[in-house]
Amino acid sequence: MARSKEFEINVVLDKAMDLFWRQGYEKTSIQGLVQGMGIHRRSFYDTFVDKHQLFMDVLNRYTLTLNSNITNRIHRSNSAKEAIQQLFEMIVSCEENQPKGCLTVNSAVELSLLDPEVAV
């Protein structure tokens, strides 16, 4: 009988996202991910298969979250000018504890020549 997952998938993806964003793909170890995500190694492999698949899931979650944030800011704006201002503020400002830069850009710089799946 299969055990049910003892964690919320989006919560652990967000934790993995933070690790990859701060350290990059190459410097983030499986052990660091398991510890940072707060899951067992077996759960890691059962859920994500390997580090690369987890990374692709993280990039997908990041893109969906970013697109949702952009859409929300645009819809809350009263004019095109305000929407553009909202987008610039979102890009330029970041919370003090948030990693710097854009995860997508950071990943492209680190991996696009080595990993065709990331390059897309």
Side-chain angles (χ1 to χ4, degrees):
M1 176 182 218
R3 291 181 52 186
S4 63
K5 293 203 182 342
E6 296 177 3
F7 56 86
E8 168 58 43
I9 191 82
N10 289 329
V11 171
V12 297
L13 281 174
D14 288 344
K15 291 177 180 180
M17 183 187 310
D18 187 68
L19 289 168
F20 283 128
W21 202 344
R22 289 180 191 282
Q23 300 174 172
Y25 179 82
E26 291 296 329
K27 288 186 179 177
T28 304
S29 68
I30 296 291
Q31 185 59 37
L33 286 164
V34 168
Q35 287 176 337
M37 294 163 68
I39 63 174
H40 297 286
R41 190 174 285 263
R42 176 69 188 214
S43 295
F44 175 88
Y45 288 111
D46 286 347
T47 305
F48 302 108
V49 180
D50 60 20
K51 178 179 160 182
H52 186 266
Q53 185 57 53
L54 170 63
F55 186 68
M56 297 310 296
D57 291 346
V58 162
L59 286 178
N60 185 50
R61 176 147 173 82
Y62 178 79
T63 301
L64 292 172
T65 302
L66 185 62
N67 288 342
S68 176
N69 289 343
I70 289 170
T71 301
N72 289 339
R73 285 179 181 254
I74 289 173
H75 287 294
R76 287 187 303 197
S77 302
N78 295 318
S79 66
K81 179 180 177 182
E82 185 179 333
I84 292 168
Q85 182 178 356
Q86 288 287 324
L87 291 176
F88 277 119
E89 287 176 7
M90 187 177 102
I91 292 167
V92 172
S93 67
C94 68
E95 312 239 345
E96 188 173 311
N97 61 347
Q98 182 181 350
K100 304 297 183 214
C102 170
L103 178 60
T104 305
V105 172
N106 294 353
S107 300
V109 169
E110 179 183 8
L111 299 172
S112 65
L113 295 176
L114 307 172
D115 187 333
E117 205 172 350
V118 173
V120 175

